[in-house]
């Protein structure tokens, strides 16, 4: 297979450089016409022009006092510069390659240490809840930031309904695994399915939401349709997209980026300008659409709401 690592090297030993190298190989493969799969990913003709930017409006969306008063980025910014490796490793790939993806019907399986493990159709899963607009400051580990007017549901409300068992301490989320619909999964730059997790008290924090929309309308595919996690005090990679499974557990989940490069990406991933990424500073960031750099704030500016979750913890060790 094209990009497969030789020698059966366990994922835990793959260096960040090798992730980078496989990104380059992916790009080279995608520009070479001889490779059917990769060529299909790259072809603009494989992407219908419908859907994006013309998605159904969501009714009865409440405003929230938890929204930032900063001006949201444009719809174009929010939907054209994305990370979603299931549709390719470059920022333009998710929009270019997700046009044909259909996120309905959609099933969410709830598993593990929970009152009633069961599968839900997405519609019935979200039906009990009012939708809220949450305008959040988002900060990617790659030092760009963006203000996004999400539409979503407080994750804590959903968890209360699901009723985790008393011994549940964490919640783990899994993205859809379907290489026929997610072309990036045919070339394993990172391990699929994508997995992320939160401590249960983090998941219950009022800032954590499951988003089903942005800018008042249904979530575009490239932003994680039909339902994705948003935790604005953490680096963007915690915000797992296109969720099909929610599992309650007593052991700390291991996220996809932790597996790829454990020295670079930790479980907590709280935005922290004092703790640099091994290969770049986290002290500043560039807001999409701007050239000047801004200072990055502890917990991405949400310290008042979330710092107490981590009191007594060494945030250099628990990065
Ligand atoms: N399944 C999945 N979820 C994902 C990713 C991904 O590659 N696959 N990328 C993450 C990263 S690194 C970031 S910064 C955010 C980007 O979200 P956005 O494209 O909506 O801004 O999605 C996160 N969720
Ligand atoms: Mo990211």
């Amino acid at each position: 297979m094209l990009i497969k690592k030789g020698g059966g090297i366990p994922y835990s030993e793959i260096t960040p450089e090798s992730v980078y190298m496989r990104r380059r190989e992916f790009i080279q493969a995608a520009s070479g016409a001889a490779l059917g799969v990769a060529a299909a990913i790259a072809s603009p003709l494989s992407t219908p022009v419908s859907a994006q930017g013309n998605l159904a409006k969501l009714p009865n969306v409440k405003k929230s006092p938890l929204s930032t008063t900063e001006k949201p980025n444009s719809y174009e910014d929010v939907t054209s510069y994305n990370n979603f490796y299931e549709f390719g490793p470059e920022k333009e790939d998710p929009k270019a390659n997700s046009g044909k993806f259909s996120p309905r019907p959609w099933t969410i399986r709830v598993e593990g240490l929970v009152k009633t493990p069961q599968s839900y159709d997405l519609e019935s899963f979200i039906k009990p809840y009012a939708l809220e607009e949450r305008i959040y400051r988002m900060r990617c580990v790659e030092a760009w930031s963006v203000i996004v007017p999400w539409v979503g549901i407080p994750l804590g409300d959903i968890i209360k309904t699901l009723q985790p068992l008393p011994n549940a301490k964490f919640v783990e989320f899994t993205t859809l695994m379907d290489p026929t619909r997610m072309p990036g999964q045919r070339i394993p730059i990172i391990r699929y399915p994508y997995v992320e997790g939160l401590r249960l008290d983090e998941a219950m924090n009022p800032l954590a939401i499951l988003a089903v929309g942005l800018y008042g309308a249904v979530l575009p595919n490239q932003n994680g349709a039909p339902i994705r996690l948003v935790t604005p005090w953490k680096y963007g990679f915690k915000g797992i997209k296109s969720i099909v499974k929610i599992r309650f557990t007593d052991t700390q989940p291991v996220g996809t980026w932790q597996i790829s490069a454990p020295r670079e990406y930790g479980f907590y991933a709280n935005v922290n300008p004092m703790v640099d990424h091994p290969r770049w500073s986290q002290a500043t960031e560039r807001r999409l659409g701007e050239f000047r750099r801004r200072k990055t704030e502890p917990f991405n500016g949400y310290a008042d709401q979330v710092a107490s979750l981590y009191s007594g913890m060494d945030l250099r060790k628990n990065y």
Side-chain angles (χ1 to χ4, degrees), residues 57-68 126-136 148-154 157 206 209-210 212-217:
K57 293 277 168 290
L58 292 164
N60 307 321
V61 178
K62 294 191 298 185
K63 302 258 181 250
S64 167
L66 295 172
S67 287
T68 173
I126 66 174
K127 203 180 180 148
Y129 312 99
L131 296 178
E132 289 184 32
E133 181 183 62
R134 295 284 182 95
I135 306 172
Y136 280 163
V148 183
W150 300 110
V151 176
I153 298 160
D157 291 353
I209 60 169
L210 291 184
V212 296
L214 59 81
Y215 264 103

Side-chain angles (χ1 to χ4, degrees), residues 83 85 91 139-144 194 235-238 257:
N83 269 336
Y85 275 56
K91 304 290 176 271
R139 170 60 156 82
C140 175
V141 76
E142 294 168 283
W144 48 278
Y194 198 101
Y235 291 118
F237 69 85
K238 296 296 285 185
W257 287 103

Side-chain angles (χ1 to χ4, degrees), residues 78 81-86 140 144 150 175 190 194 222-223 228 236-237 239-241 257:
V78 174
Y81 191 89
N82 303 101
N83 269 336
F84 198 171
Y85 275 56
E86 286 84 341
C140 175
W144 48 278
W150 300 110
T175 294
I190 53 175
Y194 198 101
Q222 62 267 40
N223 295 93
R228 60 88 58 87
F237 69 85
I240 180 172
K241 296 177 169 182
W257 287 103

Side-chain angles (χ1 to χ4, degrees), residues 28 116 141 184 188-189 200 214 216 234 236 248 250-252 261 305:
Q28 282 161 12
T116 316
V141 76
I189 295 174
L200 206 51
L214 59 81
K234 292 179 178 286
F248 294 92
D250 55 3
T251 46
Q252 187 170 293
Q305 290 106 306

